[in-house]
Amino acid sequence: MTHPRATPAARTESAQVTPDSTTHTGPTAPDTSSTPLPAPADLHRRLTADLEPAARTWLERALEEAAAHPGLHGPISAWELRLAEVGRRCGAAHADTARVLILHAARAGTDALTRVYFQGTADERRAVLHALPHLVSGPAALALVEDALRTNDTRLLAAAVGPYAARHLDAHSWRHAVLKCLFTGVPVDHVADLPRRARGDGELARMLGDYAAERTAAGRPVPEDLYRVLDLTESATPAPGTDHPHGKES
């Protein structure tokens, strides 16, 4: 089915995206074949190369402590306390990566990640979202992604649409996550595996067209990123009857 495409006069040069050459016959469902993540060992190597000696020493001790005492000890684990220290110990520019490494060293499972997410600061919540693809193989932690997608914190949203969401969000939720990024101004470059999941998705194209038409009717500019995603949805023609794998959305 071909969906009408909004063509507001305010459109400027849309970004040209080279489609993947993989044969595709309809909207992409969640799978585990997303772009490979850098291994924690690679993250560790890159981070320690950038840290000052004092920060490097602190991080190594924090990682050793997390590896030696990964479980919950008392009301809060020592490694959870280290998560709160990371910003001032390693610097804001390196804090996300350092927290991911501590969570990995502590072998944090879904329960621990959930506790850190809901009890932690916005920075700690973001680190949990970044750590999910390294620590949770299945969809058990999707509730954390869904919670982040309900916020208007753009940094949290950017983390929420990472590789874990690309692997496990269903089509309906993933489409609305893309729309949320456009609505809040989060660049779609943050949406992991965007070309794969958007390719040939007629329902996403319809939603994008509706959103563009609404903004144009209200005299508001249409985000250029919208046209980037719309071009991706047109990079393959969906097979008949595959536009709405979960029924018509509104």
Side-chain angles (χ1 to χ4, degrees), residues 79-80 83 103 108-121 124-125 127-129 131-132 135-136 139-145 147 164:
W79 59 266
E80 292 182 59
L83 294 175
L103 289 167
T110 303
D111 289 345
L113 292 168
T114 299
R115 182 176 67 252
V116 172
Y117 180 90
F118 284 110
Q119 295 180 1
T121 64
E124 290 162 11
R125 290 185 175 199
V128 167
L129 295 169
L132 288 180
L135 293 168
V136 184
L142 269 179
L144 307 185
V145 172
D147 180 83
Y164 189 80

Side-chain angles (χ1 to χ4, degrees), residues 5-16 216 221-224 226-228 230-231 234:
R5 178 169 179 173
T7 54
R11 179 175 183 179
T12 57
E13 302 173 2
S14 62
Q16 297 299 312
T216 301
V222 177
E224 191 63 29
L226 183 146
Y227 294 111
R228 291 181 56 195
L230 193 56
D231 287 342
E234 296 176 349

Side-chain angles (χ1 to χ4, degrees), residues 72-86:
L72 184 63
H73 300 278
I76 189 169
S77 298
W79 59 266
E80 292 182 59
L81 296 174
R82 301 297 167 257
L83 294 175
E85 296 180 48
V86 167

Side-chain angles (χ1 to χ4, degrees), residues 10-33:
R11 179 175 183 179
T12 57
E13 302 173 2
S14 62
Q16 297 299 312
V17 181
T18 303
D20 194 310
S21 60
T22 303
T23 301
H24 179 75
T25 58
T28 307
D31 67 20
T32 56
S33 61

Side-chain angles (χ1 to χ4, degrees), residues 22-210:
T22 303
T23 301
H24 179 75
T25 58
T28 307
D31 67 20
T32 56
S33 61
S34 54
T35 303
L37 287 167
D42 292 331
L43 293 175
H44 186 192
R45 185 178 64 254
R46 296 171 195 169
L47 179 59
T48 54
D50 291 337
L51 291 176
E52 296 295 332
R56 189 181 308 126
T57 298
W58 180 88
L59 178 63
E60 294 306 324
R61 288 176 179 169
L63 294 176
E64 290 172 3
E65 184 178 52
H69 305 286
L72 184 63
H73 300 278
I76 189 169
S77 298
W79 59 266
E80 292 182 59
L81 296 174
R82 301 297 167 257
L83 294 175
E85 296 180 48
V86 167
R88 62 187 176 84
R89 295 287 191 171
C90 298
H94 305 300
D96 279 355
T97 302
R99 288 191 178 100
V100 169
L101 290 173
I102 292 171
L103 289 167
H104 185 267
R107 302 186 290 284
T110 303
D111 289 345
L113 292 168
T114 299
R115 182 176 67 252
V116 172
Y117 180 90
F118 284 110
Q119 295 180 1
T121 64
D123 289 342
E124 290 162 11
R125 290 185 175 199
R126 190 172 62 251
V128 167
L129 295 169
H130 285 310
L132 288 180
H134 295 284
L135 293 168
V136 184
S137 59
L142 269 179
L144 307 185
V145 172
E146 292 164 351
D147 180 83
L149 290 173
R150 287 191 289 268
T151 75
N152 287 316
D153 181 331
T154 54
R155 297 182 72 192
L156 203 60
L157 288 171
V161 292
Y164 189 80
R167 292 177 180 177
H168 300 297
L169 274 182
D170 62 32
H172 174 88
S173 299
W174 184 82
R175 290 168 184 145
H176 282 277
V178 173
L179 266 291
K180 184 69 175 277
C181 287
L182 294 171
F183 180 76
T184 57
V186 173
V188 296
D189 288 338
H190 289 289
V191 181
D193 285 351
L194 177 63
R196 176 182 68 84
R197 291 212 61 172
R199 188 168 58 248
D201 191 336
E203 177 61 15
L204 178 59
R206 182 194 66 78
M207 295 168 69
L208 294 170
D210 288 349

